[in-house]
Amino acid sequence: MRYTEGKMGRVFVIRLEDSDRLPEAIENFAKKESLQRGICIFVGGIKGGKIVVGPKDSKSSPIVPLMYVLENVHETAGVGTIFPDEEGNPKLHMHAAFGREGNTRTGCIRPGIEVANLGEVVILEIVESSAKRKMDEKAGFMVLEP
């Protein structure tokens, strides 16, 4: 286990509008507000998009993600973290549950998911922390480095 300590900073309450895209809208907001690290909660609807629903094989290196395409509008509840990448850009990592007609899919969001009607976001800023995302060549994606 590796860890670092931080403190709570600002709290943001955001209303996303119809067709705003995740994770871009949240990352752009974070950049505009000079928010580098935080906890992000999303509640609202999405129009569809791609999510990662697991690794194709848990033993492969690099990890090959299993993708799932969501079609139509889904009710969504998600939680994620924002940390800067190696260039200092805030990057959102969010997992969410997507429900429609009694069926639920859960996964890691991918760029291009569009908000349906509206989305509510609360971001709790973490300050006085040096945690960041770094590329892990073995895994094949960025990982949190406390």
Side-chain angles (χ1 to χ4, degrees):
M1 174 190 305
R2 299 181 219 170
Y3 70 94
T4 184
E5 185 176 343
K7 296 186 180 348
M8 292 299 298
R10 301 169 290 175
V11 176
F12 295 97
V13 178
I14 305 162
R15 177 179 166 168
L16 296 177
E17 304 293 337
D18 190 61
S19 298
D20 282 344
R21 290 177 172 245
L22 297 175
E24 297 93 337
I26 293 170
E27 291 173 349
N28 289 338
F29 173 84
K31 196 169 198 173
K32 176 181 168 253
E33 292 297 326
S34 299
L35 183 144
Q36 288 288 302
R37 297 165 181 85
I39 300 163
C40 183
I41 301 163
F42 173 86
V43 177
I46 61 100
K47 294 180 182 179
K50 290 183 183 178
I51 59 173
V52 172
V53 294
K56 196 167 192 172
D57 172 9
S58 65
K59 305 283 187 217
S60 69
S61 182
I63 294 170
V64 177
L66 220 105
M67 304 298 286
Y68 182 82
V69 176
L70 296 165
E71 295 185 15
N72 297 313
V73 176
H74 285 69
E75 296 297 325
T76 306
V79 64
T81 58
I82 300 169
F83 289 99
D85 64 14
E86 294 169 300
E87 286 79 43
N89 298 307
K91 293 294 176 186
L92 176 67
H93 178 206
M94 178 176 278
H95 286 219
F98 305 90
R100 181 175 173 84
E101 297 180 4
N103 297 309
T104 303
R105 294 283 184 194
T106 304
C108 183
I109 68 168
R110 284 297 176 258
I113 289 181
E114 286 191 14
V115 172
N117 298 317
L118 67 94
E120 299 173 2
V121 178
V122 175
I123 300 176
L124 309 173
E125 184 181 36
I126 301 169
V127 296
E128 299 181 29
S129 170
S130 59
K132 61 185 169 198
R133 299 199 191 284
K134 292 179 77 176
M135 179 53 84
D136 182 316
E137 297 300 331
K138 185 176 179 189
F141 53 85
M142 297 185 85
V143 298
L144 181 62
E145 185 63 45

